[in-house]
Amino acid sequence: MNWRPISLKELNNIIETSVTVMDTEVLCFWNSIKIVPEKRQVPSYSNEDYFWIVGKIKNYIIYYNDIEEGFNISLENNLSHIEVTSSEQDELHFALIKLLKNYEI
């Protein structure tokens, strides 16, 4: 089976599914940080790989790693790429809870 990048439509479907299970606190937080998804380069993979950033707050971003099929948290840098990548396979609401509970935002 060959990997192919996720489409914006597929990403939006994943986000919509996750929103349905969010409690009030997480949903309010999500609504305050979500952005129109934008692709960012991931230098730690290759020059041709991009992940979708879906949320921003202060100097943190939430992005979807479609190779690992999960949402992750990273610091945002001034360059137009994702600086630190991880391979968590979190659903969106779990990544949001981690951001709320474990980061100084």
Side-chain angles (χ1 to χ4, degrees):
M1 188 166 111
N2 292 330
W3 173 84
R4 66 169 183 75
I6 191 170
S7 70
L8 180 57
K9 181 178 180 179
E10 292 168 317
L11 176 64
N12 283 329
N13 287 339
I14 292 169
I15 292 169
E16 288 172 13
T17 299
S18 193
V19 165
T20 64
V21 298
M22 291 180 189
D23 66 25
T24 304
E25 178 186 16
V26 175
L27 182 59
C28 288
F29 181 57
W30 169 242
N31 285 330
S32 72
I33 71 164
K34 69 181 177 182
I35 63 168
V36 174
E38 57 187 60
K39 284 185 176 182
R40 287 279 178 91
Q41 192 173 16
V42 186
S44 60
Y45 281 76
S46 80
N47 289 335
E48 298 172 7
D49 290 324
Y50 290 83
F51 292 157
W52 290 98
I53 293 177
V54 299
K56 293 182 185 183
I57 184 165
K58 294 191 179 181
N59 58 336
Y60 294 102
I61 57 172
I62 291 189
Y63 67 93
Y64 185 73
N65 176 336
D66 61 333
I67 295 170
E68 298 294 334
E69 299 181 348
F71 290 90
N72 296 274
I73 301 164
S74 177
L75 287 171
E76 183 175 32
N77 63 29
N78 293 328
L79 306 172
S80 60
H81 63 266
I82 297 172
E83 184 69 25
V84 178
T85 59
S86 57
S87 55
E88 301 293 329
Q89 295 175 322
D90 287 340
E91 294 178 28
L92 178 58
H93 59 283
F94 291 129
L96 292 167
I97 291 167
K98 283 182 184 178
L99 187 55
L100 271 169
K101 305 289 185 203
N102 300 322
Y103 295 84
E104 293 182 28
I105 50 169

